Amino acid sequence: MKGASIKKVLILVTILAVPGFLYYLLQDQGKNRYKPLPFFGKKEVGKTFHSVRGKMIPDTIYHHVNDFKLINQKGDTLSWKNYTGKIVVLNVFYTKGATDGVGFANKAMKAFDATYAHNKAVNFIGLTIDPVHDTPEVIADFAQKLSAPAGKWDILTGDSTQLYNLINNGLIIDARQEPVRGEMRFVYSNMFVLLDTERRIRGYYEATSQEALSKLDDEIKVLLAEELRNTKDGR
C-alpha cells in the first residue's frame, strides 16, 4: 500500500509539473477523459461542419476578442499578431490604484510569469484603464518595478476608446469611471481572463482569491493539453 501511495504522489507531481505529460495521462485508447474548458461570450451555430469519428458536426462560432494596437513598456506597438499561437492571461490595472486588490493581482501575475517563464506557449498582458495618466513613460517605470519582461508579460497602454472597447466588449469585463464619495474613481472587475490561441475566452478568475488563482494555474495546464490535442487532430 505504501508503494502505491508513493506512486500516486509521483504521478500527481508529474501532472502538475509537465503539462504535456498531463495530456497523455488523460488519454485512454484515443479517448479524452478530461472535461474541456468552457467558452464564454455569445456563440452561434455555423454553416460549416467538421467530422468526428465519421459523424458530421456543425461548427460553433464563439466570441473572439477584438484586435488592438497598443503600446507596451518598451514602446513597441503590439496587436494580436504578436501573440499568434499563444495562450494569453490578461488582467486590468492602473498605476495609481494603490489598493490591496491591485497589489495582490500584481503579485499573482508576477508569480505566474515566473512559473511559465520558460514556456513559450503562454503569455501575460496587463491593460491599463487610465491611459491619460498611464503614458508609455509611466508604464515603463511601472513594469521595471514589477520586473515585467516585455514580450512575455506586456504592460499595455494607448488610446482610451480602444482600451475600453477591448476590455468591456472584447474581454467582457466591467471597467468604468464613476463618482465615489464626490470623486471620480475607476471601478472595474479585478479578474484574470484566460484566452486560448484563437482569442476565445476560456475562463475568469478573481484576482484576490487564492482558490481562483490555483484554478487558473490548473486550467492553463488543461488548455495546454487541449491545444496539443487539437494539433494532434489537425484542427
Side-chain angles (χ1 to χ4, degrees):
M1 292 296 291
K2 183 177 180 180
S5 297
I6 293 175
K7 185 177 180 180
K8 289 180 180 179
V9 170
L10 289 174
I11 290 175
L12 177 60
V13 169
T14 304
I15 287 175
L16 294 175
V18 188
F21 190 55
L22 169 63
Y23 167 72
Y24 292 104
L25 287 178
L26 294 172
Q27 298 284 314
D28 181 23
Q29 297 180 350
K31 297 180 181 179
N32 284 315
R33 289 187 172 273
Y34 74 92
K35 183 179 180 180
L37 300 182
F39 295 88
F40 293 84
K42 293 182 179 180
K43 55 180 74 78
E44 60 184 82
V45 178
K47 296 181 180 180
T48 57
F49 297 81
H50 64 277
S51 176
V52 177
R53 298 185 179 90
K55 183 178 181 180
M56 299 304 292
I57 307 295
D59 292 323
T60 302
I61 301 173
Y62 296 101
H63 171 78
H64 287 69
V65 179
N66 50 298
D67 204 358
F68 60 84
K69 285 188 178 180
L70 297 170
I71 301 169
N72 75 352
Q73 61 264 46
K74 289 295 185 181
D76 299 324
T77 300
L78 305 182
S79 68
W80 280 127
K81 184 177 180 180
N82 297 92
Y83 304 96
T84 300
K86 307 289 187 180
I87 291 169
V88 180
V89 178
L90 305 95
N91 79 314
V92 174
F93 77 98
Y94 62 111
T95 61
K96 291 193 296 184
T99 65
D100 291 341
V102 172
F104 198 97
N106 287 337
K107 289 180 181 178
M109 190 67 98
K110 188 169 185 176
F112 280 118
D113 174 61
T115 299
Y116 293 93
H118 302 294
N119 192 322
K120 296 181 180 180
V122 183
N123 277 65
F124 304 95
I125 294 176
L127 297 167
T128 181
I129 55 172
D130 186 14
V132 174
H133 176 267
D134 293 341
T135 62
E137 294 75 20
V138 171
I139 66 165
D141 182 61
F142 183 72
Q144 185 175 17
K145 292 177 180 177
L146 291 176
S147 299
K152 183 65 175 182
W153 178 8
D154 290 305
I155 311 295
L156 301 182
T157 189
D159 176 70
S160 59
T161 300
Q162 188 176 171
L163 274 163
Y164 276 91
N165 182 42
L166 174 60
I167 293 167
N168 291 318
N169 300 320
L171 299 176
I172 320 178
I173 57 178
D174 189 36
R176 64 190 185 280
Q177 277 188 292
E178 64 179 35
V180 177
R181 292 188 291 276
E183 297 181 8
M184 293 300 295
R185 296 194 181 180
F186 293 99
V187 179
Y188 65 99
S189 300
N190 196 10
M191 309 287 286
F192 286 141
V193 186
L194 176 63
L195 304 185
D196 63 21
T197 58
E198 296 184 43
R199 309 199 315 267
R200 299 172 300 190
I201 300 171
R202 307 303 297 273
Y204 291 96
Y205 314 86
E206 175 55 53
T208 57
S209 167
Q210 189 56 57
E211 181 180 357
L213 296 176
S214 296
K215 181 182 179 183
L216 171 56
D217 189 31
D218 290 340
E219 295 194 344
I220 290 173
K221 294 178 173 68
V222 172
L223 194 51
L224 284 165
E226 183 177 305
E227 296 295 343
L228 282 173
R229 181 202 66 188
N230 291 341
T231 300
K232 181 181 178 182
D233 292 346
R235 298 183 188 180

